[in-house]
Amino acid sequence: MWFRLHTLDHRRVGGSRLIGTGTLAIIRAAFFAYTLAGWLLSVILDAKDGNMKGHFVYFTYLCYTGLLAYLAASLVHTVQVWRRGSPTLFVRMPKVLQLMHWLLFASALLYATIVSVMFWSLIYQASDYTSTKRKWVNASVHGTNIVIMWADMILGAMVFCAHWSHPLLLCFLMALYLSLAYINEAVNGWFAYGFINYKVHKALEVPIILGILVGTAVIYYLLYGLQVLLDRVLPPKHITDQSGLEYDDGDEQEDGYKLVSKP
């Protein structure tokens, strides 16, 4: 089946490796509140400075918006597991929306990792951030983002899907963003990032783009490998929900524990 929907275990949505569901809900609520504050301040500052036209041209802010969306959705599902014992809303959603939640988690974690690594290694210049508010926004969108998503990965129970269709789609989204960056240069006359400036890199630009796309897939599987290790060292806590499903410890699938009917 495309995107391996039958292997995505719905109980990972509100499950946890280390803590109770109520505590996880509180932590995810704090993550959401912090991220929302950072997102709002970034928009307000750019609007005040007259830079909103180019705000979402930056991959950073698009990814931060995706992070905010994932934290909001995961908080809703976690609260449902805490209060009702089952992510009922998630289970009742159409399969395509369930897939979108899984891809939202994968994109938030994967892109937060890529954004933070590339920013601090290639882009950061202290002189670009003079005010305290700008420094806080910069730290939030290029540092706190990866801390939040790695903490969510370790504390929660969500995992990537190993099937090639998932990283392929995320690489396709990365290619779409790069297309947007070139369209922005053609329309507005400036590049969001220097490393995609084909006027400077010329013949090297194609290898740079291919490197970004291949690197995206490699980082995806590195994170997946880390999640497999986490599953072995810190397996998700077993939760029997109201749908009568439980984990079968002796029958694992590639993307988590298989669900079986309760006798």
Side-chain angles (χ1 to χ4, degrees):
M1 181 186 291
W2 274 87
F3 295 112
R4 307 290 287 176
L5 281 173
H6 62 289
T7 69
L8 304 182
D9 181 350
H10 75 272
R11 266 145 5 115
R12 285 184 176 270
V13 173
S16 175
R17 304 179 191 279
L18 294 171
I19 55 181
T21 307
T23 305
L24 180 63
I26 293 172
I27 291 174
R28 281 179 167 167
F31 285 165
F32 172 74
Y34 179 92
T35 304
L36 178 61
W39 186 88
L40 288 173
L41 183 58
S42 70
V43 170
I44 291 170
L45 289 177
D46 274 356
K48 183 179 178 180
D49 295 340
N51 296 326
M52 273 307 296
K53 184 178 180 180
H55 184 82
F56 289 110
V57 172
Y58 289 95
F59 190 62
T60 295
Y61 293 122
L62 290 173
C63 294
Y64 204 65
T65 303
L67 170 61
L68 182 64
Y70 166 71
L71 292 173
S74 65
L75 176 59
V76 170
H77 297 311
T78 306
V79 169
Q80 280 210 319
V81 173
W82 176 32
R83 298 296 299 274
R84 301 185 181 183
S86 172
T88 52
L89 177 61
F90 182 84
V91 173
R92 293 171 182 170
M93 290 194 308
K95 290 293 185 181
V96 65
L97 294 182
Q98 294 182 14
L99 173 64
M100 287 178 65
H101 182 78
W102 229 270
L103 291 172
L104 194 58
F105 163 73
S107 64
L109 176 58
L110 175 64
Y111 294 155
T113 303
I114 293 173
V115 164
S116 296
V117 170
M118 293 192 68
F119 177 80
W120 295 108
S121 62
L122 298 176
I123 301 172
Y124 174 70
Q125 292 183 5
S127 58
D128 292 338
Y129 307 95
T130 54
S131 71
T132 302
K133 292 179 181 179
R134 284 291 183 186
K135 289 178 181 178
W136 183 71
V137 168
N138 176 55
S140 297
V141 300
H142 296 120
T144 310
N145 59 334
I146 189 174
V147 173
I148 286 174
M149 281 310 303
W150 276 61
D152 187 90
M153 174 181 67
I154 295 170
L155 296 176
M158 292 287 287
V159 294
F160 286 0
C161 177
H163 193 252
W164 57 266
S165 58
H166 285 238
L168 179 64
L169 179 56
L170 294 172
C171 287
F172 176 70
L173 292 177
M174 179 68 80
L176 284 182
Y177 168 74
L178 293 171
S179 300
L180 170 66
Y182 290 121
I183 292 173
N184 173 72
E185 190 278 331
V187 174
N188 298 317
W190 55 275
F191 289 96
Y193 301 103
F195 56 82
I196 59 174
N197 188 342
Y198 63 87
K199 296 178 180 179
V200 173
H201 301 294
K202 300 185 184 303
L204 292 176
E205 188 62 21
V206 172
I208 289 173
I209 298 303
L210 291 177
I212 291 173
L213 298 178
V214 171
T216 299
V218 170
I219 294 174
Y220 180 96
Y221 280 110
L222 288 175
L223 289 170
Y224 172 73
L226 179 59
Q227 291 161 7
V228 171
L229 180 61
L230 282 172
D231 267 4
R232 294 184 181 276
V233 177
L234 299 170
K237 293 187 177 183
H238 295 192
I239 305 170
T240 301
D241 64 32
Q242 296 173 356
S243 64
L245 298 173
E246 65 179 359
Y247 285 120
D248 177 10
D249 293 332
D251 191 6
E252 290 190 22
Q253 292 189 354
E254 61 175 321
D255 300 307
Y257 296 99
K258 179 181 178 182
L259 290 170
V260 295
S261 298
K262 195 174 181 179

